[in-house]
Amino acid sequence: MLVFASSDKGGTGRSVTSCNIAFHLAQRDDVAYLDFDFGSPTAGAIFDIPRAERGIERDGLHTYFTDGITDPRHLDVWHATDRADLRGANVRAGRLSFYPGEMGGAEFAISDTATTRCAELLTRLDQEYSVCVVDLSAGRSTALEMVLAATAQPMMRAITTRWLVFHRWTRQHIVAAHGLVYGERGIVEIGASAGHDPEALRDAIRFVRIAVPNLKEHNPGQTAAQATWLFTYDEELRKLAVDKRLGKSRVLGMTPVEPVLQYREQLISDSDVSTKIANHATVEAFRELAARLSDDAVWEGM
Ligand SMILES: Nc1ncnc2c1ncn2[C@@H]1O[C@H](COP(=O)(O)OP(=O)(O)O)[C@@H](O)[C@H]1O
Ligand SMILES: [Mg+2]
């Protein structure tokens, strides 16, 4: 299965959330994580891999697409991570392979050659891994256009493909996520012009709400007027989301505001929770997203 992680805005939590989803999926299955954020390939920092925190020096995904090497380099997260509590986790887990971009790499022009190479790589990795998570550059990027063109090619039609669109729980992010999916030159429109059936493509897209505040929690620093305003505005956002076709039936899940992630982009492990540094609810949210993502019944029944 291929999972495309997209968002209209940068800084939505797309990479941190998809790395954590990949981490949970890899407890059971072989998972590949591909950093297709070509302009800013920093997912290595989230996996805590020092030598790849801004991408690797050479032979990564950029060179694969632009210079024609046959096999982009990948790193085994369980061995390469600096996190002592995660290192060696492969004894009990599936593989978690990270395909980084490159330090000096930048967005490149889309071409038929790059699209074909993309189709070849994704088809091959789909056979090798149970799930491939592809972290796409924000907005209407080369990466987005390239994977839409690649997945429309006959060689890829039979592969199960799911799309996640990440957004924060704010007015601007809801409007932006709507535009990325349904708007002019959005995923559905670009996909249709690349040869996808627009309805099938729309059905393969779910939204993920990131860092949603928990209004039920007592917040001693809050005035009564603030609490009332937040409740009222939260309701407004819900209506806006329904209006913009991002309502409940199209939402895969959400994540709560996590203090650790406000300071540091990382995998949240069980040991972060048992030491009471991270919230249990955050790990549960990632675990549930991973479970729902790979559950066909959930996916089709939505
Ligand atoms: N649930 C959350 N609570 C608080 N902060 C979060 C949460 N999820 C992500 N973040 C933070 O938001 C910022 C942007 O996330 P990132 O994954 O880098 O976004 P993107 O890949 O969409 O640009 C990061 O500092 C990240 O740690
Ligand atoms: Mg990112």
Side-chain angles (χ1 to χ4, degrees):
M1 174 170 86
L2 300 177
V3 177
F4 293 110
S6 68
S7 67
D8 194 56
K9 315 293 294 176
T12 54
R14 178 188 71 250
S15 302
V16 163
T17 310
S18 29
C19 284
N20 274 282
I21 290 174
F23 168 65
H24 284 283
L25 289 170
Q27 302 303 310
R28 261 195 351 200
D29 293 314
D30 289 345
V31 178
Y33 189 96
L34 288 79
D35 196 347
F36 273 34
D37 190 347
F38 298 119
S40 176
T42 54
I46 303 169
F47 290 122
D48 252 286
I49 304 177
R51 68 189 138 110
E53 63 185 6
R54 284 184 302 118
I56 52 176
E57 265 170 43
R58 59 189 176 85
D59 296 343
L61 288 170
H62 286 88
T63 304
Y64 174 77
F65 286 114
T66 55
D67 267 353
I69 51 167
T70 49
D71 209 2
R73 280 191 56 203
H74 64 274
L75 304 168
D76 173 345
V77 173
W78 305 137
H79 285 101
T81 182
D82 241 15
R83 292 273 301 267
D85 59 330
L86 302 180
R87 228 174 307 127
N90 59 326
V91 181
R92 56 186 161 81
R95 274 190 300 163
L96 180 53
S97 299
F98 171 48
Y99 286 76
E102 290 163 22
M103 274 171 206
E107 289 272 345
F108 48 84
I110 190 169
S111 66
D112 288 347
T113 315
T115 300
T116 304
R117 299 184 67 76
C118 180
E120 285 167 358
L121 179 67
L122 296 179
T123 302
R124 177 163 66 79
L125 295 186
D126 180 66
Q127 286 162 4
E128 203 177 319
Y129 295 91
S130 303
V131 186
C132 296
V133 178
V134 185
D135 182 3
L136 303 169
S137 309
R140 293 156 171 78
S141 59
T142 303
L144 179 80
E145 219 173 299
M146 183 171 73
V147 301
L148 280 167
T151 49
Q153 295 197 357
M155 76 193 282
M156 293 199 70
R157 292 244 170 101
I159 298 176
T160 303
T161 299
R162 291 176 180 166
W163 284 79
L164 299 180
V165 176
F166 295 87
H167 67 87
R168 297 245 165 187
W169 191 233
T170 71
R171 183 191 178 87
Q172 180 189 219
H173 275 257
I174 291 170
V175 171
H178 165 87
L180 181 69
V181 173
Y182 308 108
E184 209 178 307
R185 307 238 4 102
I187 294 175
V188 174
E189 195 179 297
I190 300 179
S193 61
H196 284 278
D197 168 16
E199 208 165 310
L201 185 55
R202 219 178 292 124
D203 280 349
I205 299 173
R206 297 291 182 278
F207 297 91
V208 184
R209 300 173 179 177
I210 302 298
V212 180
N214 181 358
L215 299 183
K216 289 187 188 113
E217 223 163 57
H218 174 64
N219 186 341
Q222 215 166 60
T223 66
Q226 281 168 337
T228 309
W229 187 89
L230 288 172
F231 263 103
T232 312
Y233 199 67
D234 192 64
E235 201 40 49
E236 296 255 321
L237 287 182
R238 268 173 226 285
K239 283 193 202 126
L240 180 65
V242 170
D243 245 27
K244 295 288 179 192
R245 288 178 279 164
L246 279 66
K248 248 188 168 164
S249 63
R250 295 170 200 267
V251 173
L252 187 69
M254 53 76 76
T255 65
V257 177
E258 168 53 56
V260 167
L261 296 177
Q262 286 180 314
Y263 283 82
R264 189 172 194 276
E265 296 77 7
Q266 63 167 68
L267 299 179
I268 304 285
S269 69
D270 286 337
S271 87
D272 295 319
V273 174
S274 63
T275 52
K276 300 203 188 304
I277 303 287
N279 290 325
H280 178 68
T282 307
V283 172
E284 275 313 301
F286 290 142
R287 195 170 279 135
E288 189 170 322
L289 282 169
R292 292 172 69 85
L293 179 59
S294 46
D295 186 330
D296 293 343
V298 167
W299 197 267
E300 277 147 27
M302 283 170 90

